[in-house]
Amino acid sequence: MVKCGERLPDDYVLHETIDLRKNKKQFWLVNGLGLVLAALCVLGGWLIDDPIKTLNSVPEDSFWIGEFLQIVVLIAGMIAYVILHELTHGVFLGAFTKMKPKFGFIGWAAYCGNEGYCSKGRYLVVALAPFVVWSIVFSILTVFFHEGIWFWFIWVLQTINVSGAAGDLFVSFKIARCQKDILVQDTGTKMKVFRPMTKEERATVGSGEKTEEEATGEKND
């Protein structure tokens, strides 16, 4: 059974590198998926509670003060969500690899990662945990706030949660298609997938020759 940890087994080689920043095809695919998910969330929210009706129900004399406070609260909620999203990744990644996760920003995007190696199943948990956990949390909240301004406050966060998970969903899809005994290293900016050597590769290494992956360094799909 493949175990998570700090060290890559000697008989593992690089299978694939996933770098959504450098791979333009994947970058635009993920961003397109995010836009589609956002549009579907907005449509779903509109079917639950008409935002025009909600705005028309707000008294004119308190509209601007209330709107300002709601915008402030919404911005604070969005910032808090981004932090909590990455912390959720970090809790599972740190627990599985026994290594402290690192957090940061690349441009407008936040990230969480470390130098540890995760088995396939556990990495899927790491990747999907924020999407699953916060989707459930926001869904429960909408049961209690199913109409009005506060519904839309929660639903905007839900939309950010779902559309922002496009990258995690894409990576999870690719990892799910890999063989079961892979190990994944997620440094936050890119993911490296490692697999056991084949018999032929073991023989090549035993004879002192380098495998194709060792010679080229990386394989970026």
Side-chain angles (χ1 to χ4, degrees):
M1 180 179 178
V2 185
K3 294 183 179 180
C4 305
E6 300 181 20
R7 183 176 176 276
L8 183 70
D10 294 334
D11 60 343
Y12 269 65
V13 294
L14 182 66
H15 170 65
E16 179 180 7
T17 297
I18 304 173
D19 190 338
L20 300 181
R21 293 187 306 133
K22 292 184 178 180
N23 190 313
K24 297 304 180 182
K25 180 181 178 180
Q26 293 181 354
F27 175 84
W28 290 113
L29 179 61
V30 167
N31 279 275
L33 176 60
L35 290 175
V36 171
L37 291 173
L40 291 174
C41 282
V42 171
L43 177 60
W46 202 298
L47 293 175
I48 296 172
D49 182 59
D50 187 339
I52 297 177
K53 180 180 178 181
T54 297
L55 290 174
N56 290 335
S57 66
V58 178
E60 292 185 8
D61 58 349
S62 63
F63 180 83
W64 293 110
I65 295 177
E67 184 183 59
F68 176 75
L69 291 176
Q70 287 151 11
I71 291 174
V72 171
V73 172
L74 179 59
I75 292 174
M78 292 166 64
I79 294 173
Y81 167 73
V82 171
I83 295 172
L84 291 170
H85 177 104
E86 298 305 327
L87 283 175
T88 306
H89 278 310
V91 166
F92 287 94
L93 183 62
F96 291 153
T97 63
K98 308 302 181 185
M99 295 180 66
K100 184 178 179 181
K102 298 178 181 179
F103 303 91
F105 281 88
I106 299 179
W108 52 270
Y111 71 85
C112 166
N114 64 19
E115 299 296 327
Y117 300 89
C118 260
S119 62
K120 177 180 178 178
R122 291 190 175 186
Y123 184 74
L124 289 174
V125 173
V126 172
L128 295 174
F131 171 69
V132 173
V133 169
W134 293 106
S135 291
I136 293 173
V137 170
F138 294 138
S139 295
I140 292 174
L141 288 175
T142 57
V143 172
F144 300 97
F145 302 95
H146 55 274
E147 61 181 3
I149 291 296
W150 291 112
F151 164 78
W152 279 102
F153 168 80
I154 297 167
W155 201 256
V156 167
L157 295 180
Q158 180 73 291
T159 300
I160 294 172
N161 172 55
V162 174
S163 62
D168 293 333
L169 293 172
F170 174 80
V171 170
S172 297
F173 174 74
K174 289 184 69 66
I175 296 299
R177 297 178 64 191
C178 293
Q179 62 193 71
K180 65 180 182 179
D181 51 356
I182 61 168
L183 287 170
V184 183
Q185 182 187 56
D186 186 349
T187 59
T189 58
K190 63 182 177 181
M191 288 124 277
K192 291 184 177 181
V193 182
F194 298 86
R195 59 167 175 78
M197 291 181 185
T198 63
K199 291 182 179 180
E200 292 76 11
E201 288 170 334
R202 292 174 192 271
T204 301
V205 171
S207 66
E209 298 178 18
K210 290 186 177 181
T211 64
E212 182 180 353
E213 283 89 349
E214 292 172 326
T216 58
E218 288 187 358
K219 173 187 173 185
N220 193 343
D221 185 15

